[in-house]
Every structure is written in C-alpha cells, then in structure tokens.
Amino acid sequence: MRLPGIARTGGGALWRRSSAVWLRLHLNEVGPLVSLLLVSTLGYGFFALAREVGEGSTAALDRKILLSLRNPADLSDPLGPAWLEEAMRDITGWGSVVTIVFLTAAAVIYLALSGRKRVAVFVLAAVGGGEAVSTVLKLFYHRPRPDLVPHGMEVFTASFPSGHAMMSAIAYLTLATLLARVERRRSVKALLLVLGISMTVLVGISRVYLGVHWPSDVLAGWCVGAAWAALCWFVALQLQRRGEVEDPDPTPASTGPGQIKGTATPG
C-alpha cells in the first residue's frame, strides 16, 4: 500500500529536478532548445552514417556519384570546362587549415580589440577544439581516400570524415551566427547566415568534384561540423547568461528625457 505513495513521491522529486535542470539550461527559450536539438539530431546522423560506411552500405552510391562527375572516356577529367576545375580548387581552399587559421585569428583579434576578449577566447577554443575532434575522428576511422578516380590535388590525411567540410562548417557557421547577433538589421543577419552556409556547402561539393573525398565523407563532415558548431553556440548562450562571456549583441544604451540614444548625459 505504501509503494504507490513512494512512487508518487519519487516521481515528483524527479520531475522537480528535471524541471530545475530544464530551466537552468534555459531550454524554455528558443535559442538553447534549437541548438541542443541540432546537436542531438546531427550527432545521431553522423554516427548512423559512420555505421553505414563501416558496413559498406554507402559504397555503391559513393562510386556512382564520384563517377558521374567525371568524363567516362577519361576519369582524370572532371566534367565541365577547365575554369570550373580551377574554381573548385580555389573554393576547396576555403576549408584548408591555412584559411581557417587565418580567418579565426582575424576574428579573434577583432573581438579582442573591440572589447569582447572572452568571446575571442571562446571562438578560439571552439575552432581549435573542432580541429582536435576532426583529427581524432580521422585517426579512429582511418578510411582510405578514394582510388576510383585521380585526385585533383594533393591530400595527406585519412578520408572520413572530410576535414575540409567539417572545419568549414565549424568556422563559417560559428562566425556567421556570431556576426549575425552583432548586426541589428534582419536583412544583414540573413545575408551573413546564407554566406556561412553557402561557403560550407561549396567547400564540401568541391572535395567530391576534385575526387579527394567520397560523398559520404563530406556528408559526415557536415554533420559533425554543424553539430559541433551548434554545441558551441549552446555553451556560448549558457555562458552569456551567467555573465562569463560577453554578449556579442550588447543592449543599446537606455534613453531618458532629453537624452539621445547612445549619448551620455552631460554631468
């Protein structure tokens, strides 16, 4: 007779603790909730894809897509004019270590000089941590590069997941969302997000076009890269609400009678 009462008491305590955690993490707000959902969804997508790759389920589709981008009479010749191949080499450079390091350093210096030093440290940690995760995953899965077609450029690391696709997702999506919060105009916010997403997608496409990655490598890189970017965004929102990281979208100066917005009241 006492078990139902104990169950109700235990269930009520569990519900209260769960509710407290929910509110502590601000999951009743759109930003943290969406970012956490993205982390779980994209993370699951990556591990599900990794399992399919390990079982060889993606091999036929990978081969079909890679061959469809080549001249059947000469597999060393990608489809399209010569300028397209050269453009793809330029685009793939957007996801290179040199480019990512340069852009991250520029963003960190800008944030530090503009008084957002803790945000600068956070961006550095987010991109640096992503590079470490990419290296660990490549060493763990150690998938060979495609040997179906000649490569359009030199490669030096394992194939799965695509480091270019992953790091471009981490860097460009993180920087795009950060800059979008600083900007107040919705049209500019939308432009920044579209640019970040477009650059990430184009880098991945260029890797397949140049024959240096299987399509499943790129899809996995997008999944884990976007998941990492969403996780970093979730952590940033938590830290901002605790005051441990500056809000990149500062509240405008309050106005009062006879005071112009953004100006100080004469002493």
Side-chain angles (χ1 to χ4, degrees):
M1 294 298 295
R2 300 176 62 184
L3 289 177
I6 295 174
R8 286 196 298 271
T9 302
L14 179 61
W15 173 257
R16 287 193 296 272
R17 286 195 294 269
S18 300
S19 299
V21 172
W22 184 275
L23 294 175
R24 190 179 303 120
L25 295 178
H26 303 278
L27 296 179
N28 56 322
E29 301 175 16
V30 174
L33 181 60
V34 170
S35 60
L36 204 57
L37 287 174
L38 286 173
V39 172
S40 58
T41 303
L42 293 168
Y44 173 80
F46 169 75
F47 287 110
L49 180 59
R51 183 180 65 249
E52 294 296 321
V53 169
E55 295 174 353
S57 303
T58 64
L61 183 59
D62 277 339
R63 292 174 60 88
K64 183 176 180 180
I65 293 176
L66 214 57
L67 289 175
S68 69
L69 296 174
R70 297 285 167 145
N71 181 352
D74 181 7
L75 293 182
S76 66
D77 179 26
L79 293 180
W83 63 262
L84 179 60
E85 184 176 355
E86 189 64 27
M88 285 296 178
R89 290 196 185 93
D90 292 338
I91 291 172
T92 208
W94 297 349
S96 68
V97 173
V98 173
T99 302
I100 296 297
V101 168
F102 177 81
L103 289 179
T104 301
V108 167
I109 293 172
Y110 162 75
L111 290 168
L113 292 178
S114 62
R116 301 183 179 93
K117 295 182 179 179
R118 286 176 290 181
V119 176
V121 172
F122 181 83
V123 170
L124 184 61
V127 178
E131 178 62 38
V133 171
S134 175
T135 301
V136 170
L137 290 175
K138 281 180 174 290
L139 291 174
F140 179 79
Y141 290 105
H142 201 65
R143 187 187 193 186
R145 293 278 179 164
D147 56 3
L148 186 63
V149 298
H151 296 169
M153 60 186 305
E154 293 294 328
V155 289
F156 307 98
T157 59
S159 193
F160 186 91
S162 167
H164 278 63
M166 178 177 171
M167 291 310 301
S168 60
I170 291 173
Y172 295 131
L173 295 182
T174 298
L175 293 176
T177 51
L178 182 67
L179 293 174
R181 289 202 67 192
V182 175
E183 179 58 49
R184 303 190 188 283
R185 290 168 293 181
R186 291 186 178 180
S187 58
V188 180
K189 287 177 183 286
L191 175 62
L192 290 169
L193 293 174
V194 168
L195 286 175
I197 294 172
S198 299
M199 293 178 73
T200 299
V201 171
L202 286 172
V203 168
I205 292 174
S206 72
R207 303 303 284 172
V208 178
Y209 181 85
L210 293 172
V212 295
H213 273 296
W214 300 106
S216 54
D217 296 336
V218 170
L219 183 57
W222 283 337
C223 283
V224 71
W228 180 264
L231 176 61
C232 291
W233 190 240
F234 175 78
V235 173
L237 292 175
Q238 304 304 316
L239 294 177
Q240 286 167 8
R241 284 166 172 76
R242 296 177 186 177
E244 298 177 18
V245 169
E246 305 94 342
D247 191 336
D249 189 9
T251 303
S254 59
T255 57
Q259 182 179 353
I260 300 176
K261 184 176 181 179
T263 61
T265 303

